[in-house]
Amino acid sequence: MKPISTSFLIAFLFLLISNLAFSQQAQLQPLWKDGIPNNPVNYSQELVRTADVNESSPSQMNRVFSQVSEPEYIIYKAVESRNQHVGIVICPGGGFRDVWFDREGVDFALWLADKGITSLVLKYRTFNKDADGFKLERDKFNPEVYADAKQAIYILKSKADELGIDTNKIGIGGFSAGGALSLMATLEIFQDRLPEYAEHTKNTAPDFACLIYPGIADPFYKAVGKKRPVPPVFMVNGAEDVKTPALRCLKLYETLLENNVKAELHIYGKGGHGFDSGIGRGFAVETWQNSFIAWLKDMGFLK
């Protein structure tokens, strides 16, 4: 039997320590630590399934949650030596039916941590109208999931000192339906319908927004003109996207500029709906995350 080489042992120990650190850090926490009084988004059982994992995935996981009654979150701290004192709430997509927690949440958070940005990945409440016993109308659901997004921003602001975040550099971003939720929170569309349990003493308006192939409903365009001020907005979409068409991003971009909002829009020739990091989906589209970092520098959030 050949002796085990020193280099192999070092590599093995490094992998073991890395996996242990990941497992210790990646602990889901309740979004509402005291619970949600008379929670109207109520399912008998939360569901989770595992989808195929992309080779480029930093987490090498791909959990998909549905029938979420009790929202949760995970915080991924910036690498200490690179901390830029910026925080962001990440809202994964899934049509509000699912939450693609890793592919459109944790993976982005891990990538951002390496760039010096702290992230809170949000597992928000879902709208599964076909679930047994679920009778809530969508109009009643929207303020509840909006409250989840606002609470996530509140948590980052409340933990700013311990996380090393500047409270004036906390944004929100999301993919697809998570992009729609991020836009709701940015434009504060349901602020006048915020549930009583979700009222905050701290300001929960984000300082910037990152929208990745976002779902954009018609009321969002009108809301831009009503909200003052609207923080800077970064948008990404693919010309091949038929679920959340790039034309709607173009219209939102035009509306933002008309209202003197700082905005940047990238529409890539390659990239259908759900391209997440863009890696392996086209040469240009896989650069969007780096473009986001460059934009944050342009906006003065990063050095």
Side-chain angles (χ1 to χ4, degrees):
M1 183 176 178
K2 293 182 180 180
I4 299 175
S5 69
T6 303
S7 59
F8 175 84
L9 280 173
I10 292 173
F12 176 77
L13 286 172
F14 177 79
L15 180 63
L16 188 63
I17 292 169
S18 297
N19 287 339
L20 179 60
F22 179 82
S23 65
Q24 288 177 338
Q25 183 184 26
Q27 296 297 315
L28 281 162
Q29 303 291 330
L31 186 70
W32 303 93
K33 65 178 183 179
D34 297 323
I36 302 171
N38 302 312
N39 186 359
V41 186
N42 188 19
Y43 301 99
S44 60
Q45 182 180 7
E46 181 175 293
L47 303 179
V48 60
R49 67 183 189 274
T50 301
D52 293 338
V53 178
N54 295 333
E55 289 183 8
S56 60
S57 165
S59 70
Q60 284 299 293
M61 296 189 297
N62 196 0
R63 292 165 292 175
V64 184
F65 295 94
S66 60
Q67 297 187 190
V68 178
S69 301
E70 301 295 335
E72 297 177 296
Y73 71 93
I74 288 176
I75 289 178
Y76 291 92
K77 293 180 67 174
V79 173
E80 189 61 37
S81 61
R82 302 172 194 164
N83 191 359
Q84 295 282 332
H85 313 293
V86 173
I88 184 171
V89 171
I90 302 175
C91 305
F96 290 105
R97 299 177 302 275
D98 299 320
V99 179
W100 286 73
F101 194 72
D102 299 304
R103 178 178 163 184
E104 295 182 338
V106 172
D107 285 349
F108 191 31
L110 291 172
W111 187 88
L112 288 172
D114 189 58
K115 305 298 180 183
I117 297 172
T118 294
S119 301
L120 181 154
V121 184
L122 176 61
K123 188 180 85 175
Y124 49 84
R125 284 174 282 179
T126 59
F127 186 73
N128 301 96
K129 62 182 179 180
D130 297 327
D132 290 342
F134 188 75
K135 299 178 181 179
L136 188 67
E137 296 176 0
R138 183 58 185 264
D139 186 55
K140 301 291 185 181
F141 167 79
N142 287 335
E144 300 293 329
V145 72
Y146 171 83
D148 290 347
K150 284 294 191 175
Q151 174 70 0
I153 296 172
Y154 174 80
I155 287 172
L156 275 188
K157 286 183 178 288
S158 299
K159 294 179 176 289
D161 287 345
E162 64 183 89
L163 295 173
I165 301 173
D166 184 334
T167 55
N168 295 311
K169 295 183 178 181
I170 296 176
I172 190 167
F175 300 73
S176 192
L181 181 55
S182 299
L183 197 50
M184 288 180 198
T186 300
L187 300 176
E188 299 194 311
I189 289 177
F190 294 105
Q191 194 67 19
D192 60 344
R193 296 176 58 194
L194 197 65
E196 186 176 343
Y197 66 82
E199 294 177 358
H200 299 108
T201 55
K202 291 181 182 290
N203 176 23
T204 56
D207 298 300
F208 62 86
C210 175
L211 312 176
I212 307 104
Y213 42 88
I216 302 174
D218 288 341
F220 293 172
Y221 303 120
K222 294 181 180 179
V224 172
K226 296 177 181 178
K227 174 76 171 78
R228 288 290 185 274
V230 177
V233 177
F234 177 88
M235 282 187 286
V236 173
N237 211 335
E240 300 173 330
D241 193 335
V242 295
K243 290 187 177 179
T244 55
L247 284 174
R248 298 192 73 81
C249 282
L250 278 169
K251 184 177 178 180
L252 179 60
Y253 178 70
E254 181 181 25
T255 304
L256 291 168
L257 292 187
E258 288 173 349
N259 285 272
N260 300 311
V261 178
K262 294 179 180 179
E264 183 164 310
L265 170 63
H266 296 255
I267 297 178
Y268 298 98
K270 286 284 187 181
H273 191 72
F275 56 69
D276 50 83
S277 69
I279 296 174
R281 316 298 176 90
F283 292 104
V285 72
E286 69 180 25
T287 67
W288 80 259
Q289 293 181 130
N290 287 319
S291 294
F292 174 55
I293 295 296
W295 176 80
L296 286 173
K297 292 179 180 179
D298 282 344
M299 294 296 103
F301 292 106
L302 296 181
K303 295 179 182 178

